[in-house]
Amino acid sequence: MRLSTLPNLSLSSGARDFIDDARLEGLLGGPASEPAVVRDLIAKSLAKEVLSTEETAVLLRATDPELIEAILDGARRLKNVVYGNRIVLFAPLYIGNDCVNDCLYCGFRRSNRAAVRRTLDPGDVARQVTALEQQGHKRLILVFGEHPRYDATFIAETVRQVYGVKFGPGEIRRVNINAAPLDVDGYRLVHSAGIGTYQVFQETYHHATYAQYHPENTRKGQHYLYRLDALDRAQEAGIDDVGIGALFGLYDWRFEVLGLVTHALHMQERFGVGPHTISFPRIQPAHNVQLPGTWTVSDADFMRLIAILRLAVPYTGMILTAREPAAVRDTVMEFGVSQIDAGSRIELGGYTEAENAQHAEREQFVLGDVRHLDEVMGELIGQGHLPSFCTACYRLGRTGEHFMEFAIPGFIKKFCTPNGLLTLQEYLVDYASEATRAAGERLIAAEVGRMEDDSLRRELEQRLARITGNGERDLYF
Ligand code: SF4
Ligand code: SF4
């Protein structure tokens, strides 16, 4: 598509480019971190205080192995103490891969003539959602390329359609969006369809790298600020659950961490609430994509970046996707991840049409973890995690959920854990394999046994029995 046919791009009121590359580079070039200062900052984070960019840079400049271990351990403790053992599960659903952009790292870029283009029609959407419900999913993220056909009206209609698909006891209770930035009116329209989180990733916060990977004759290439301001406009439109992210591997991972933290602090300052989630995908191979690999993030650095993000922005949900292989996912989860996708297929129509097959020319990138949902559930339970499909806060109008679970003492014990157990019980009754069911029942019994609040435990036991005995669903606190 030619740029002249693109709509005028309007910004939020007071939009500004708050990423100062020279300042962030200056922070990264500071002196080696003092052990005592690093330990104080970890303690500050464990006391539930957000870190500044300067303080985050101190953690990023810590290279001594002992200090790195202290940072990893701090993140592990923060995750355990503040968030407990719960992991929320979701699945991505690719709706269409037409795209006017030409991001050099993406299999869907417009110059990749070999990419197979497709947009799901309403029948396709119904079949995909049905298949996801049959697996047991309750939370989806819909993914759209950037193309005029995927405008706000199209996105809103698709969201309504997804909510309307009900198969047996299955239903989708929360639909999140990953799509192109919209203007304020567009976000209002999408918001009216009842979306959860709207995600827009900046990809890279480094201006020169952004220009390098996003050709100038595309909307994304021309408009760093339009993208950076995207979620401010979403907030202005009333969407207060927004997700930021960076694609790690385009530039120095330490710079991108500072970019994400700057973005989070900007939102907190401007709207009184930080981002709902942070995503940190690492670049993966994609069809017809060759990248220099200069900034490839090693597994060891990936752990560090997750741990530092956890400590810097302790109230924000952190999403780890199936781009990463199972072994990496299992390792890094303990440093602060709160949501993962499972049973994912990213080929258009992949939930019904290509069981287990991967077709690179139909995918944005190559998936690292293609385990089935039940397998992931079984493994999470085996590792002591509580897999959860909870959507209670959103359904009860408790938005900003991650902030509440973080900020309100006892919120997790009172709400997140019992709700996670109720959704797990539903899963065990409706969808689980025998082995997962047995392991899940043991986990539920152990968690219920650990509950200190007697009246809450009795109420929970009653609700669990109503799911199993009466066939009731969608019970939550
Ligand atoms: Fe299009 Fe998104 Fe791929 Fe860029 S990353 S080419 S905007 S689908
Ligand atoms: Fe998330 Fe709220 Fe459920 Fe806790 S109770 S898991 S914060 S939706």
Side-chain angles (χ1 to χ4, degrees):
M1 174 179 197
R2 298 164 69 85
L3 261 186
S4 56
T5 62
L6 289 170
N8 286 334
L9 305 180
S10 56
L11 299 171
S12 71
S13 54
R16 67 184 177 87
D17 185 348
F18 48 83
I19 299 291
D20 179 344
D21 290 22
R23 178 174 165 269
L24 300 189
E25 298 280 17
L27 290 175
L28 291 174
S33 305
E34 294 288 335
V37 180
V38 170
R39 291 183 205 284
D40 283 352
L41 291 175
I42 294 170
K44 181 176 177 184
S45 176
L46 282 166
K48 296 186 171 187
E49 280 187 56
V50 175
L51 304 186
S52 66
T53 43
E54 289 80 0
E55 291 169 332
T56 307
V58 171
L59 300 185
L60 289 165
R61 294 200 308 267
T63 50
D64 181 281
E66 261 181 50
L67 286 183
I68 291 175
E69 194 40 57
I71 289 169
L72 295 176
D73 187 56
R76 211 182 271 126
R77 276 162 49 210
L78 185 70
K79 151 99 168 113
N80 284 339
V81 172
V82 178
Y83 292 97
N85 59 347
R86 191 177 35 93
I87 294 280
V88 171
L89 292 155
F90 68 96
L93 175 57
Y94 278 68
I95 301 294
N97 66 352
D98 278 319
C99 195
V100 295
N101 286 317
D102 206 30
C103 312
L104 302 189
Y105 45 80
C106 178
F108 291 166
R109 71 193 187 284
R110 74 178 185 207
S111 65
N112 185 9
R113 305 274 175 234
V116 177
R117 305 279 167 189
R118 179 172 172 192
T119 298
L120 301 187
D121 66 24
D124 294 328
V125 171
R127 278 187 289 280
Q128 296 304 299
V129 175
T130 301
L132 285 157
E133 289 178 0
Q134 284 176 301
Q135 282 190 39
H137 278 294
K138 301 284 186 273
R139 304 171 69 118
L140 299 186
I141 181 154
L142 307 187
V143 185
F144 301 79
E146 182 160 349
H147 193 278
R149 67 188 297 186
Y150 311 137
D151 60 7
T153 305
F154 181 85
I155 295 173
E157 276 170 11
T158 310
V159 170
R160 289 199 175 91
Q161 203 210 335
V162 168
Y163 280 130
V165 177
K166 315 242 184 224
F167 185 86
E171 62 178 348
I172 299 303
R173 298 174 183 160
R174 180 172 172 124
V175 177
N176 299 328
I177 302 293
N178 181 307
L182 301 174
D183 60 16
V184 174
D185 287 342
Y187 284 121
R188 275 202 196 100
L189 196 61
V190 173
H191 187 38
S192 71
I195 65 159
T197 309
Y198 200 104
Q199 289 184 342
V200 176
F201 300 164
Q202 190 64 20
E203 319 294 11
T204 173
Y205 285 92
H206 187 251
H207 288 77
T209 307
Y210 187 93
Q212 181 191 340
Y213 281 98
H214 303 107
E216 215 185 300
N217 60 346
T218 63
R219 173 145 99 187
K220 203 160 164 183
Q222 284 204 334
H223 293 283
Y224 179 101
L225 177 58
Y226 183 70
R227 200 166 183 87
L228 190 66
D229 180 58
L231 296 174
D232 287 41
R233 298 192 298 280
Q235 295 264 8
E236 280 192 357
I239 301 176
D240 51 10
D241 278 356
V242 296
I244 62 174
L247 181 55
F248 281 85
L250 297 179
Y251 187 59
D252 185 345
W253 64 268
R254 301 173 315 144
F255 186 97
E256 305 297 9
V257 168
L258 288 185
L260 287 166
V261 171
T262 307
H263 200 163
L265 292 171
H266 162 84
M267 302 204 96
Q268 206 179 312
E269 209 173 277
R270 186 160 176 210
F271 301 102
V273 50
H276 183 67
T277 54
I278 296 183
S279 298
F280 35 87
R282 274 194 296 186
I283 274 195
Q284 300 296 335
H287 187 243
N288 276 351
V289 169
Q290 262 107 40
L291 296 174
T294 317
W295 297 108
T296 300
V297 180
S298 68
D299 288 352
D301 286 343
F302 193 51
M303 275 197 280
R304 277 174 73 194
L305 82 83
I306 294 172
I308 293 172
L309 277 173
R310 175 70 298 153
L311 291 171
V313 199
Y315 58 79
T316 299
M318 294 192 29
I319 301 179
L320 180 71
T321 73
R323 282 171 177 254
E324 298 294 340
V328 172
R329 296 228 287 180
D330 291 349
T331 312
V332 299
M333 228 147 37
E334 60 178 306
F335 300 116
V337 172
S338 51
Q339 290 187 33
I340 62 168
D341 57 331
S344 302
R345 297 291 176 271
I346 55 172
E347 177 183 336
L348 276 290
Y351 290 107
T352 56
E353 298 163 19
E355 256 315 49
N356 290 330
Q358 287 204 288
H359 299 279
E361 70 282 9
R362 295 172 191 222
E363 295 175 346
Q364 192 179 21
F365 52 86
V366 178
L367 269 192
D369 183 353
V370 291
R371 292 174 296 174
H372 283 276
L373 175 61
D374 191 73
E375 200 181 332
V376 175
M377 295 285 291
E379 287 187 17
L380 287 173
I381 293 167
Q383 292 158 356
H385 298 289
L386 164 58
S388 169
F389 298 95
C390 178
T391 54
C393 287
Y394 163 69
R395 324 274 304 295
L396 289 167
R398 294 191 299 231
T399 51
E401 61 178 72
H402 287 293
F403 185 72
M404 284 189 299
E405 65 184 318
F406 170 74
I408 301 174
F411 190 90
I412 293 192
K413 279 191 185 154
K414 224 164 133 191
F415 297 102
C416 304
T417 303
N419 285 332
L421 293 170
L422 289 169
T423 60
L424 176 59
Q425 181 87 328
E426 285 187 352
Y427 178 83
L428 299 181
V429 173
D430 293 332
Y431 306 104
S433 65
E434 225 169 277
T436 302
R437 187 173 307 128
E441 282 168 358
R442 282 195 298 274
L443 177 86
I444 291 175
E447 290 281 345
V448 170
R450 269 198 289 274
M451 291 184 90
E452 291 154 8
D453 180 333
D454 286 341
S455 70
L456 180 62
R457 186 179 58 240
R458 276 195 299 276
E459 181 58 36
L460 175 61
E461 281 169 337
Q462 281 169 14
R463 293 189 191 195
L464 289 166
R466 280 162 60 192
I467 292 173
T468 319
N470 302 357
E472 288 184 64
R473 297 290 174 270
D474 203 15
L475 304 174
Y476 47 81
F477 291 91

